[in-house]
Amino acid sequence: MTTQILPLPETETPPAPDRGLGALTTDKGNLPLDSVGVHASITGLAAGVEVVQGFRNPFEVPLEATYIFPLPDRAAVTALRMEAADRVIEGTLKERGQARQDYDTAIAAGQRAAIAEEDRPDVFTMRVGNILPGERVTIRLTLNQPLPYESGSGATFRFPLVVAPRYIPGAPLDDERAGSGAADDTDAVPDASRISPPVLLPGFPNPVHLSITADIDPAGLPLTGIRSALHVVAEEGGERTTVRLQPGERLNRDFILRLDYAQQESAALSLIPDESGEEGTFTLTVLPSGETRPQPRDVVLILDRSGSMQGWKMVAARRAAARIVDTLRTEDRFAVLSFDSVIERPRDLTGLAPGTDRNRFRAVEHLAALNARGGTEMLAPLDEGCTLLADSTRDRVLVLITDGQIGNEDQILAHLEPRLRGVRVHTVGIDRAVNAGFLNRLAAIGQGRCELVESEDRLDEAMEHIHHRIGAPLATGLALHPDGLEIVPDSVAPSRLGALFPGVPLVIAGRFRGKPSGSLSVQGATADGTPWAQTTSGTVTNAPAAASIWARAHLRDLEDRYIVGGSDDLERRIVDISLRFGVLCRFTAFVAVDSRVVAEGSAPHQVVQPVETPDGWAAPRVAHAAFSPIESAPAAAMPLSLIH
């Protein structure tokens, strides 16, 4: 079949063919994705979420739709359901290779089928095949996610709505493409074509109906307020507070609710037995308080000034970096590295410079002159930062300020992991569609924290948090010591407990065997070597989502370990845990296959669903979003994914 492709009337540049297809309108109607619904049930510091994606076939032949979409990076995907006509098909979690084979076999046989795969912690691919002409297929995903909590600012429910274009470094590969996205695979990002949806052209009518509701039950916590960061919402009272998104919004930025909870208990240990009674999940939360004595520090500040940081993001990044520089003392040593395709430093400041007034002024002067440009070559400045932080006798801190919009996350994490021993890494993500998955992973490997900033209004609050974190921690060298509670070996997540900072909660989850009783002690040492400990007795709790939330966090630790130096045994273990606890990971996939044959003959027509231009980004002028690190073309004439 041949479908006529019509450029939009206001498009100045003729669209490129092939993978730009999904960004155009056709004489057969609009694009396959027509609705996205999100319903969250927030209870205390956890949320159960149902995501509903509606696909409609506007063509005269069967359709296969591909949609590259985001989910919260800490959410556990636990179920998939496909609904079409009078059919309801529950998805099955299988090893990824087997799930793909089942899906491809079903499509070739003319059966309806759907498959959901994870490509990054917060980037997923949905394929729905053999949608009949005029037919609508609904996909329902079930998620469980924890809500991060911060003393003084409460809990945050963040739901991403668009996969922003990511910078793809490396040389193109000659092999068959891994996916159907807009970017070519490279030696640095061999799956780039799976994480790069095409981008809608400017002026395209709103193609997707978006609805979001959140039912909020504080579960005994003192809720004092609800704030929506980037969207206008309506609030309804009752036994539960319900928040609804105003109609007419586009899928172009994160949805963020902040729940203002008053100060919580300093520590709590929840024990949640499995139905079998043989094992269970524990969750320990420690919220430390106190003051720390300043210690001489070595601080390396790395600022992303690449093209995707243009506009308000560059302004916010400069302000954030300057605020950090202003907190330095004379006894501190520091370096500032700004990067795009090259690395630049403040004039006359080489290596680690003392934090004198003169040197801090030069650093702020350098920051004030920065504008967004070029590519996001992030590995080199991070590597140089690790080299500068070589003095193990001092407190060593690396701070990265960026939107995180890169595709080579695995390459960077694998390279840095062995170099970050003794270096704390804090990340500041600035964007309304931030790459939270990468920034959280990097901070976790560096035993630090990630702070996300979605607007300049949020910056002051965020920088107050960062100020405390780059200071001396309350305790380091943390370890768990159980008393009367048998912990399953190598089940604790995060596997690296990091450091304790005032007002910053430490949440630890794991598995236990036997009777749900006993206590846990977190032990470490203060900066002057004084022992520090806090012991908490367990309380049996009914929290059905705890096991899947733990499994997601544990799988993330194991996957990062696999990236650094994987083995077949580790891959097998990841798959076994994923299947046992029913939680999607990068080595498994949910697949749903309808037993009824509905389409016979040729293969279905394939369309890759394009996505919105992220809010605050420059709109593309062409549809074809092929991704390569070209730096010389004028930014206004480049595809959106090249403006990096």
Side-chain angles (χ1 to χ4, degrees), residues 8 15 19-24 31 68 162-166 181-183 195-204 207 250-252 608-615 617-627 638-642:
L8 294 180
R19 294 184 299 277
L21 172 67
L24 305 177
L31 301 164
I68 301 169
V162 62
V163 175
R166 300 188 178 191
I195 61 170
S196 55
V199 179
L200 281 172
L201 289 168
F204 198 88
R250 300 176 77 101
L251 284 82
N252 64 356
V608 182
Q609 174 70 30
V611 301
E612 299 274 1
T613 300
D615 187 39
W617 287 55
R621 294 181 59 194
V622 293
H624 185 51
F627 214 130
M638 284 191 277
L640 178 61
S641 50
L642 291 183

Side-chain angles (χ1 to χ4, degrees), residues 334-589:
F334 78 102
V336 173
L337 308 177
S338 58
F339 75 94
D340 49 275
S341 304
V342 297
I343 303 172
E344 294 185 344
R345 303 159 189 80
R347 61 182 179 88
D348 300 329
L349 295 185
T350 58
L352 291 172
T356 61
D357 290 346
R358 181 185 181 91
N359 289 338
R360 286 188 286 113
F361 175 81
R362 286 174 172 166
V364 172
E365 184 182 47
H366 168 76
L367 293 169
L370 295 179
N371 292 308
R373 69 181 192 192
T376 318
E377 294 288 349
M378 188 179 290
L379 180 58
L382 288 172
D383 188 62
E384 182 172 333
C386 291
T387 300
L388 290 170
L389 295 172
D391 188 349
S392 61
T393 65
R394 294 172 67 89
D395 192 20
R396 294 173 287 168
V397 180
L398 188 151
V399 182
L400 172 65
I401 302 176
T402 177
D403 58 10
Q405 303 299 357
I406 55 170
N408 60 324
E409 300 104 311
D410 289 353
Q411 179 194 44
I412 289 175
L413 294 173
H415 180 81
L416 291 182
E417 195 276 341
R419 307 203 61 195
L420 290 176
R421 307 298 183 184
V423 177
R424 285 198 314 278
V425 179
H426 300 297
T427 56
V428 183
I430 299 180
D431 201 355
R432 292 173 186 148
V434 70
N435 184 353
F438 166 62
L439 297 179
N440 274 312
R441 292 169 70 195
L442 179 57
I445 287 178
Q447 302 184 58
R449 297 281 294 187
C450 171
E451 188 73 31
L452 302 181
V453 179
E454 70 277 0
S455 67
E456 288 190 80
D457 293 339
R458 161 78 175 145
L459 187 60
D460 289 341
E461 179 183 351
M463 293 317 301
E464 186 66 25
H465 296 163
I466 292 295
H467 172 65
H468 290 301
R469 292 171 192 167
I470 65 174
L474 284 172
T476 57
L478 302 179
L480 273 184
H481 296 272
D483 183 6
L485 184 69
E486 183 185 355
I487 296 179
V488 175
D490 197 21
S491 72
V492 174
S495 56
R496 298 178 182 178
L497 299 186
L500 274 177
F501 296 88
V504 180
L506 175 66
V507 180
I508 306 167
R511 297 283 292 172
F512 66 87
R513 294 193 180 104
K515 188 177 180 181
S517 63
S519 63
L520 278 178
S521 175
V522 181
Q523 300 180 12
T526 63
D528 60 5
T530 303
W532 179 94
Q534 184 158 351
T535 302
T536 307
S537 297
T539 301
V540 177
T541 306
N542 179 25
S548 60
I549 290 175
W550 162 80
R552 169 66 161 167
H554 185 49
L555 287 167
R556 178 64 53 237
D557 280 346
L558 295 177
E559 287 172 340
D560 286 343
R561 194 186 306 176
Y562 181 87
I563 289 168
V564 174
S567 65
D568 291 341
D569 289 343
L570 184 54
E571 181 178 348
R572 185 71 254 166
R573 182 182 173 194
I574 292 170
V575 171
D576 289 345
I577 292 173
S578 173
L579 297 179
R580 177 187 172 190
F581 290 94
V583 173
L584 181 65
C585 75
R586 286 175 70 173
F587 295 135
T588 57

Side-chain angles (χ1 to χ4, degrees), residues 167-168 341 374-375 626-634 638 642-644:
Y167 178 79
I168 307 297
S341 304
F627 214 130
S628 61
I630 299 173
E631 314 300 345
S632 57
M638 284 191 277
L642 291 183
I643 306 176
H644 267 267

Side-chain angles (χ1 to χ4, degrees), residues 14 32 47 58 79 101 128 197 205 244 269 309 446 491 514 527 618 635:
Q101 181 178 333
V128 185
R244 298 184 187 278
L269 174 60
M309 293 290 291
S491 72

Side-chain angles (χ1 to χ4, degrees), residues 260-295:
D260 296 327
Y261 289 129
Q263 184 75 26
Q264 303 302 302
E265 298 179 17
S266 59
L269 174 60
S270 298
L271 304 176
I272 306 97
D274 294 345
E275 290 184 3
S276 67
E278 298 178 358
E279 288 191 0
T281 303
F282 73 82
T283 302
L284 173 65
T285 303
V286 178
L287 183 60
S289 60
E291 298 294 329
T292 60
R293 183 185 306 171
Q295 301 289 322

Side-chain angles (χ1 to χ4, degrees), residues 149-169:
Y149 173 82
E150 187 95 11
S151 179
S153 60
T156 301
F157 172 71
R158 176 186 296 267
F159 199 92
L161 294 172
V162 62
V163 175
R166 300 188 178 191
Y167 178 79
I168 307 297

